[in-house]
Amino acid sequence: TEMRVAVVGAGVSGLTATKCCLDEGLEPTCFEQSQDIGGLWRYTEHIEAGRPSLYPSLISNTSKEMSAFSDFPFPEHFPVFLPNALLLDYLRRYAQHFSLREHIRLGTTVVSIRKHPDFATTGQWNVVTEAGGKQTSDVFDAVMVCSGSFSEPSLPLHCFPGIERFRGQYFHSRQYKHPDVFQCKRVLVVGMGNSGVDIAVEASRVAAKVTISTSRGSWLLSRVFERGYPWDMVSITRLKTLIKTSLPGALSWRLTNSKVNKRFNHTNYGLQPDNRYFLPLLNDDLPSYILTGRITIKPGVKEFKDNSVLFHNCPEEEPIDIVVFCTGYIVSFPFLEESIIRMENKHASLYKHVFPTHLQKPTLAVLGLIKPLGPVMPVVEMQARWASRVFKGRGANVSPLCPKMQLRLDTFYPSSQGVLKTEWLVYLDTLASLIGAKPSVLELLCKDPKLALTIFFGPCSPYQYRLGGPGHWEGARQAILTQWDRVIRPTRTRVPAGSSSSF
């Protein structure tokens, strides 16, 4: 009989997990508690418990060529960076193209996942689900946890002295939908992640004043990069990653620092980061909004007063009406026993960020608990390709005893949100090697020099991982050689007289 796999959640990770199981001849059942697929990318006006919540203006930070699933490019006419509605449209096309719908049970909540009594020999799981008020218990041979890490907001109010006496309004960024709430108000945004800066930029168009408080600072990238190309297609190449990972950490940091400071001096803008362990921010508007006085950057919050706030190293109080806490999320798995995924100082203890390290059988995988400096979708897809092969008994050995093969340690660093951050390409290559899907540039150089050079010097788009090995896709070579055409197509809507048609 086919192996039965329970997939928790029908967002980006759940959809690709379902598809990878089918590719390996497994029998997936995907449980989605809400009434539709799409996870984080499905916008709803009201906030649903236990589900991620996004604001309508959210646009992807990574380009369509770098974010695509490796055997399913985005449509040519889609813009290069995607508004959330188009990303959801893409996920629906993916589900339809690979016939995933019949394996998804909507409106079904996973209540609990427990080891089967004979887990030590079978590796099976008892999965209890609830739909329409009725509970059902099933036995599955393996489980893929794809519930994401954006459902439970982290709001550490104890870190903000005086918040209990503050008379204004405050809320977590998860509650944010529209900028109308900030009309003519003095707004404080605490935290400088991507959503924090997005919200501050939107607020500044209607608010009386907007201040961002950040204790650490951050490097800032723009989606529009050198010569107007997308930042990730220019930055993430095999050549650049090789240089970056071969250099000592401190030197690599200095090089990156001088590069990001070429566009504008971060120190002059109050943005220069204090340490090197974090991800850069992506925002196209912030520098000009600081220059035009719409947004002010301040250090961390020292304490709140009745209707003002004091910052560290700043003597004067800042009057405030509304505070938005952009303080991230807590990673939690309410349906799992605590012993299954051990948390070590806010981190899930997972082998290669996928398999819990101490289970007797590698039959439970966690997808998407990793924040790479690069697109997340190809990463969760690669995790799913590996995990489904491990379930089938074809993947690399994942016994609890195998040494935790950490990649170079200085490319990994804990973030405040308990999500591991890592070097994108190094991680993808590591998992691809385990399933035999990593492209060999040297081999290709003999057989197909044009493709080899494109792969090495050009963007590391995900189609590279479908050129050979299991899951080989006939269209991969063509997708790589035409990637720039799909970038230029949606913007080159007026061709000036006398210009050549090539990019």
Side-chain angles (χ1 to χ4, degrees), residues 6 9 24 34 39 75 86 94-95 107 139 167 224 283 359 499:
E24 289 299 331
S34 71
L86 282 180
Y94 182 77
V139 176
R167 290 199 192 134
V224 186
N283 193 279
L359 291 177
S499 72

Side-chain angles (χ1 to χ4, degrees), residues 350-412:
L350 300 170
Y351 174 68
K352 296 213 186 297
H353 314 309
V354 177
F355 289 98
T357 44
H358 55 280
L359 291 177
Q360 301 108 308
K361 298 274 181 187
T363 54
L364 182 134
V366 183
L367 269 54
L369 268 208
I370 187 166
K371 277 204 169 167
L373 173 51
V376 172
M377 283 161 63
V379 171
V380 294
E381 180 193 34
M382 188 63 78
Q383 290 179 330
R385 286 175 71 182
W386 177 45
S388 53
R389 288 181 71 74
V390 169
F391 292 162
K392 197 161 182 184
R394 288 181 171 167
N397 174 28
V398 192
S399 80
L401 304 171
C402 64
K404 274 210 229 171
M405 287 177 4
Q406 280 293 21
L407 308 170
R408 270 189 43 180
L409 257 176
D410 58 11
T411 62
F412 284 80

Side-chain angles (χ1 to χ4, degrees), residues 433-502:
S433 306
L434 295 174
I435 61 171
K438 182 186 165 191
S440 162
V441 179
L442 285 176
E443 262 178 48
L444 279 171
L445 208 51
C446 310
K447 292 192 300 203
D448 192 341
K450 181 181 179 184
L451 183 63
L453 296 173
T454 306
I455 285 176
F456 188 68
F457 293 104
C460 189
S461 46
Y463 324 119
Q464 299 190 6
Y465 296 108
R466 293 281 177 181
L467 287 166
H472 164 70
W473 171 50
E474 287 301 327
R477 179 181 188 273
Q478 185 58 16
I480 293 167
L481 296 178
T482 54
Q483 55 196 0
W484 285 109
D485 300 340
R486 285 187 297 279
V487 172
I488 304 303
R489 185 71 34 93
T491 55
R492 205 163 217 215
T493 44
R494 172 188 163 269
V495 180
S499 72
S500 72
S501 57
S502 64

Side-chain angles (χ1 to χ4, degrees), residues 127-414:
V127 178
V128 177
T129 54
E130 187 176 308
K134 185 168 153 282
Q135 290 204 351
T136 314
S137 180
D138 275 304
V139 176
F140 284 91
D141 299 304
V143 173
M144 282 173 148
V145 178
C146 303
S147 50
S149 55
F150 294 104
S151 300
E152 199 177 318
S154 163
L155 190 50
L157 291 178
H158 60 276
C159 301
F160 298 96
I163 188 69
E164 65 289 337
R165 57 188 276 204
F166 177 65
R167 290 199 192 134
Q169 186 187 352
Y170 66 82
F171 56 89
H172 188 272
S173 57
R174 182 172 182 263
Q175 311 292 129
Y176 173 74
K177 294 288 178 186
H178 305 282
D180 331 350
V181 301
F182 303 127
Q183 196 77 44
C184 305
K185 297 280 206 295
R186 293 166 299 192
V187 182
L188 171 65
V189 174
V190 176
M192 210 171 148
N194 285 308
S195 56
V197 176
D198 277 357
I199 293 169
V201 162
E202 281 199 3
S204 72
R205 295 176 187 140
V206 296
K209 182 162 194 210
V210 175
T211 306
I212 297 178
S213 156
T214 170
S215 46
R216 289 188 314 197
S218 186
W219 283 327
L220 190 64
L221 299 179
S222 167
R223 291 182 179 88
V224 186
F225 218 60
E226 290 162 11
R227 298 179 58 216
Y229 293 127
W231 75 271
D232 49 2
M233 291 184 78
V234 176
S235 311
I236 305 176
T237 69
R238 288 191 173 276
L239 174 65
K240 287 181 180 170
T241 305
L242 183 66
I243 294 168
K244 197 161 135 193
T245 51
S246 309
L247 294 171
L251 183 56
S252 171
W253 190 79
R254 280 216 295 280
L255 274 175
T256 311
N257 192 43
S258 70
K259 187 153 180 61
V260 294
N261 276 310
K262 245 192 198 131
R263 184 168 151 246
F264 65 89
N265 182 325
H266 281 59
T267 305
N268 292 350
Y269 282 73
L271 295 173
Q272 179 66 20
D274 302 339
N275 67 24
R276 66 182 74 153
Y277 298 135
F278 66 99
L279 293 180
L281 267 176
L282 263 141
N283 193 279
D284 304 313
D285 302 309
L286 186 62
S288 65
Y289 279 37
I290 295 173
L291 266 189
T292 51
R294 285 177 165 193
I295 293 177
T296 311
I297 306 289
K298 293 276 187 169
V301 171
K302 189 175 180 185
E303 70 168 311
F304 284 96
K305 307 277 185 161
D306 293 354
N307 37 32
S308 65
V309 64
L310 263 173
F311 299 104
H312 288 290
N313 312 324
C314 292
E316 68 278 0
E317 290 179 23
E318 177 89 43
I320 293 292
D321 303 309
I322 295 193
V323 184
V324 187
F325 286 103
C326 301
T327 41
Y329 290 84
I330 296 163
V331 176
S332 70
F333 307 101
F335 44 83
L336 287 178
E337 289 170 303
E338 279 184 17
S339 63
I340 293 176
I341 297 180
R342 291 190 185 141
M343 299 300 274
E344 294 169 10
N345 37 358
K346 288 195 184 168
H347 293 277
S349 171
L350 300 170
Y351 174 68
K352 296 213 186 297
H353 314 309
V354 177
F355 289 98
T357 44
H358 55 280
L359 291 177
Q360 301 108 308
K361 298 274 181 187
T363 54
L364 182 134
V366 183
L367 269 54
L369 268 208
I370 187 166
K371 277 204 169 167
L373 173 51
V376 172
M377 283 161 63
V379 171
V380 294
E381 180 193 34
M382 188 63 78
Q383 290 179 330
R385 286 175 71 182
W386 177 45
S388 53
R389 288 181 71 74
V390 169
F391 292 162
K392 197 161 182 184
R394 288 181 171 167
N397 174 28
V398 192
S399 80
L401 304 171
C402 64
K404 274 210 229 171
M405 287 177 4
Q406 280 293 21
L407 308 170
R408 270 189 43 180
L409 257 176
D410 58 11
T411 62
F412 284 80
Y413 24 87

